[in-house]
Amino acid sequence: MSALTTLQISPARWLYLRLSRSPSLTTGAAIILIVLFMAIFAPWLAPYDPTLQETANRLMAPSQQHWLGTDAFGRDILSRLIYGARPTLLLVLFVVLLMAPVGITIGILAGYLGGFVERSLMRITDIVMSFPRLLLAFAFVAIMGPGLLNGALALALTSWPAYARQARAETAKLAKSDYLAAAEMVGIKGPRLLFGHVLPLVLPSAVIRLALDLSGIILAAAGLGFLGLGVRPPTAEWGSMVADGTQVIFDQWWIAATPGFAILITSFGFNLLADGLRDLMDPRND
Amino acid sequence: MTDALLTVEDLTISFPSDNGPVPVVKSISLTVAREIVAVVGESGSGKSLTGRAIMGLLPCRAHVRASRMLFEGIDLQTLGPAGWNGLRGSGMGLILQDPKFSLNPAHRVGRQVEEALLLHTKLSARERKQRALDMLARVGLPDPERVYASYPAALSGGMGQRVMIAAMLINRPMLIIADEPTSALDRGLQDQVLTLLRSLTEEFGMGLLLISHDLQQVSRYADRVIVMRQGEIVERLPASELAQAQTAYTRGLWAARPSFATYGTRLPVFEDSGRPS
Amino acid sequence: MQKAVLRSLPEPHNSRQPRWRELSLLGPLSKWLMSFAMTLLGLALVTFAMTRLSPIDPALQMVGDHASQSTYQAARLELGLDQPLPVQFLRYLQQAVSGNFGQSISTGQPVASDIARTFPATLELATAAIIIGSLIGLTLGIAAAMRQGGLIDAIARFVSLFGYSVPIFWLGLLMLLLFYARLHWAPGPGRLDVMFQYTVKPVTGFALIDTWMSGKAGAFRDALAHLALPAIVLAFHALAGISRLTRASILSELGQEYVLTARAKGASLSRVVFVHILPNIAGTLLTVIALAYASLLEGAVLTETVFAWPGIGRYLTTAMFSGDMPAILGATLVVGSCFVLLNALTDVAVARIHKGQAR
């Protein structure tokens, strides 16, 4: 922010300059918007029903009718690719909705209450932090049964500690500040203090953290699908589409290649966005 | 005094910003002979940047321009990376503020003191060690053998700064730039270290560019004083005449020095003192 | 992670991080052991909780769907499922510690011996991958930092972004397609050609060592060739993080004052990086490499399937497909414990590096 005050330029211009200087941010955001658009308008964009099986047209190479060919059941790959954005983004959304609130709540409570509560909560956080995340997630889904919600639960189960740590550190800093003392003095306390006055200050850094984590979550979700632990067939999902294509990889390679490429691009988009956000927030990086 | 070691004319340093280049040092000129020249100013006055520009150690986004920058007849502006590496550590040296940060925590003291010899001479390992031990004793460190073998973390601030001086002076450079060499030290230690620097400067026949914000201190050790403010030189005068300074700014700086007379009262503050760095 | 072991010195003059840290004197070993044991206990607790929440009934799985009510009850008693939960957990712990994970439903073998058979293959692959990955990753990171903004920097940035974004199982498939099916540079999936599989005696379980000891040059070359492609794919995954962090930590050290001191003595940029900076960031680099190694171990679940690599990852995947609870639990606990142990050992190593410099 010091750049703002010393160089006397308007905030809008500052943001514009930053954005124009950060192609990764704009590219990343564009990729994610496109994927989001695909997911939302899939029924209008997809040329075919993604579950429609035309056994006469099995394993077709890309053509005028089927731009990306068909799979072993004669389903149109392009349509499945477009619909496949849905479970991926849905799972990411579930994970975010589960893990960020849990982590942030634990962190805020620990940082605000201090003492024994803080020590025990952070102890648990440290322990979960050194768990093998991916492995536990796979084991969890394998034991609890596959599905979108279980997948999200599994990934959220081990991903919250980073948020807890960050929220605790910031709350502890805030707890010593005049800002909270003033809020307490005018009689704001309890949950209203924590969630009305502490949460908004802790949230921005959690959002950056989230952007950094999302690409990893997408890859883990794809991994679940690849191992057959994601959504149930015949729902189109990128990871399981790669797995379907594995059988015929040496002959009809595009069946596995295209959904994998979709995973790559989406995850790439989130990584670019996170990079750009970090540069934007942390001027030391430029 | 007449044959200058270092001549700088019209030195301008600017940094790029969203609104075009911002000059932080504006067309200053100075010379250093075999003497102690103090550059004094508030933080942000550009005095440290000037020192680093002379050593060629500014970050690459800084833009340095001068009509003349000569050191011992060498045109500093034409030096390439190899030329600079040959000059630094043998012709000139730099002493930084806080030995806690300016010594490498992962290297033993001896290795750091010897480094300039390793880089610029063909001495054997044994000769280098002997020279380093001599130098450590020379800067007043008790038990040089022990200091030689220890890591910087084991040293106090005063010892660390002595090690730093030893490391920079071991190869007998002609010019030392000392950038706030004592501001991280206690008051008592500051005088010890400055006295040491002055006596070594005289003994080795070097030039010393002493960068400081403490005018009172400088007046006791320097021969000449250059006062900088917001990237410009506002006054230059012999240290002995500081009390009769011409400009209001220098007189203000002089009056702002803490002493027993001002103890417990608010020190005068300048309005419009530029942006803090 | 190193924050748990290391304590920072307060710094009166400056808000920056001090350049060295001091190891807490209060029994670092016992503290370390405590936190290691707690993590393992937590791991056991989480896996135990999973089994109890699972819709799979272990007793039913053991006796089969068509068993009589009395056989089923006997199985429940044998598994201790009638006991209160804390007692069941203690029993679970005791069995896990003694290495008794029960019988695998799908292979019919004790899970422990299955793991002993498959784990060396995983270790071999992950070790080969981490060696390649750290060599390339460190080189790339150093080169990128020394030429910040240059071509190599751009390449390194792209490689690491790509490595972070690519689904590793898909990359493996494409590599297999290209180098095995199209170019015929690499042998197919598996660890050894069929002709060597039965002639080389498995002594250590590590194909490279076993074939070396067998004295058959052809067999060793074959093992090496089989290892190359999966190891390179996995290495790519590891080097993304390693190169990025190497670059970032060198760049942040370049702004430190001790670097300025070294430059002022006439040290060249490469001397500054190799002689002055690397020893200072050794702890960080070690931690990243260890983390990458640990994540290769757990990532084996995904890659071994692609390369039909007969390691613990593929064993676990097979067990997952058939809902083979003892095998899933056993493999998860063993790989998970290795993961935790690796992290804990790294903390110790990093603490030792810093302790040496604080003397």
Side-chain angles (χ1 to χ4, degrees), chain B residues 55-66:
Chain B
M55 297 279 300
L57 284 175
L58 286 174
C60 32
R61 46 196 195 94
H63 183 73
V64 179
R65 208 181 56 231

Side-chain angles (χ1 to χ4, degrees), chain A residues 7 9 13 17 21, chain B residues 17-19 22 275:
Chain A
L7 296 174
I9 53 172
R13 183 167 158 74
L17 283 166
R21 208 185 288 167
Chain B
S17 82
D18 291 339
N19 287 356
V22 175
R275 66 190 173 104

Side-chain angles (χ1 to χ4, degrees), chain B residues 93-95 163-171 173 176, chain C residues 261 264-265:
Chain B
L94 175 69
I95 295 170
V163 167
M164 188 74 189
I165 294 172
M168 284 304 164
L169 265 58
I170 192 162
N171 206 18
I176 285 287
Chain C
T261 306
K265 287 189 246 178

Side-chain angles (χ1 to χ4, degrees), chain B residues 52 57 85 88-89 94 96 100-107 111-112 115 118-120 151 164 168 184, chain C residues 11 13-14 16-17 19-20 257-258 260-261 263-268 271 275-276 279-280 356-357 359:
Chain B
R52 283 176 202 191
L57 284 175
N85 290 340
R88 296 183 202 126
L94 175 69
L96 294 167
K100 219 179 246 113
F101 299 107
S102 53
L103 292 174
N104 188 334
H107 287 184
R111 191 171 175 198
Q112 307 196 42
E115 188 167 18
L118 177 77
L119 290 170
H120 301 285
Y151 281 98
M164 188 74 189
M168 284 304 164
Chain C
E11 176 48 56
H13 310 297
N14 225 312
R16 281 175 298 182
Q17 269 274 305
R19 301 295 316 135
W20 52 80
E257 285 186 7
Y258 74 85
L260 203 59
T261 306
R263 299 284 289 166
K265 287 189 246 178
S268 62
R271 183 177 165 86
V275 177
H276 288 273
N280 277 295
Q357 293 168 2
R359 234 186 351 241

Side-chain angles (χ1 to χ4, degrees), chain C residues 51 74 247-248:
Chain C
T51 64
R247 175 185 179 273

Side-chain angles (χ1 to χ4, degrees), chain B residues 32-43:
Chain B
V32 183
R34 296 174 194 278
E35 59 180 337
I36 300 182
V37 177
V39 177
V40 186
E42 297 163 290
S43 57

